[in-house]
Amino acid sequence: MKQLLPFFACILLTHFSLAQAPANTATIKWMTWDEAVAQAKKDEKPKKIFIDFYTDWCGWCKRMDASTFANPTIVDYMNRNYYAVKFDAECMDTIVFNGTTFMNSEPTFKKTGARGKVHILAYSLLEGQLSYPSYAILDANFSRLHILKGYKDVEPMLGTLIFFAGEEFKHYHNYIHAQWQRNLKLQQQQQEAATKAK
């Protein structure tokens, strides 16, 4: 028993020191769509845009905010490499972008229950596949690169953020294209060889 006392004392001290450690106070610097557009115009080297499409009634959206989007690694990487946009997919805002007006699909709809009507910008960027949470990654010119759907743990989310912010998607595209070209050439050679053999 005497040998176990120092062990338990060490555990208790560790527990109390961790419990009293200051919590991570860094958060993702969420922007509105208009703020991201304005910031991209100001910055000499604009970042990519990450859009979190959520709704007030979405439980998994709240879980993302409390877990993955609160993770210090995600917070740091997102803030350094993206304009992070938080977008209520059922909001009633009117957004004018590149000469096009985006608004709620039913602008006179009065929300009485939990669910509202979809905003046309969310519908457009998600290609009409409305499930929440969903995310869109856009390049610095606001062209869509990728759509993600559903709750994401830290590691898969970080991998996706790095893949697009680090331009890895371009290398991957080039690799796939080269493989496709190689396979096409091989098929043509096989067809020519089969024709000559006849």
Side-chain angles (χ1 to χ4, degrees), residues 28-172:
I28 294 175
K29 296 174 186 149
W30 294 110
M31 309 172 134
T32 65
W33 174 267
D34 290 337
E35 288 169 343
V37 170
Q39 192 63 49
K41 287 179 183 175
K42 275 192 232 174
D43 289 348
E44 189 174 316
K45 187 176 179 202
K47 301 176 187 179
K48 290 184 176 54
I49 300 92
F50 177 92
I51 306 173
D52 172 24
F53 291 101
Y54 73 96
T55 63
D56 292 337
W57 49 263
C58 169
W60 286 103
C61 301
K62 292 174 177 65
R63 185 167 174 196
M64 277 297 291
D65 287 338
S67 59
T68 305
F69 288 148
N71 178 277
T73 304
I74 296 290
V75 169
D76 179 61
Y77 197 84
M78 186 80 79
N79 287 340
R80 284 188 293 114
N81 296 284
Y82 288 91
Y83 302 126
V85 174
K86 186 73 100 165
F87 194 91
D88 179 353
E90 296 179 347
C91 72
M92 302 304 284
D93 300 346
T94 298
I95 294 172
V96 178
F97 179 69
N98 281 349
T100 302
T101 301
F102 298 92
M103 60 179 57
N104 192 283
S105 59
E106 292 190 33
T108 59
F109 179 78
K110 299 290 182 215
K111 193 172 179 179
T112 56
R115 296 182 184 233
K117 301 298 181 179
V118 67
H119 195 280
I120 297 300
L121 183 62
Y123 187 89
S124 174
L125 287 173
L126 295 175
E127 295 184 341
Q129 299 174 28
L130 305 171
S131 63
Y132 307 107
S134 286
Y135 321 95
I137 296 177
L138 314 180
D139 67 14
N141 298 314
F142 288 82
S143 295
R144 188 185 57 235
L145 299 173
H146 190 59
I147 297 171
L148 291 137
K149 297 192 169 298
Y151 177 85
K152 302 290 179 218
D153 284 318
V154 171
E155 286 185 19
M157 179 59 80
L158 184 60
T160 300
L161 293 174
I162 291 169
F163 185 74
F164 287 98
E167 303 290 319
E168 297 302 320
F169 70 97
K170 290 181 180 177
H171 303 297
Y172 183 72

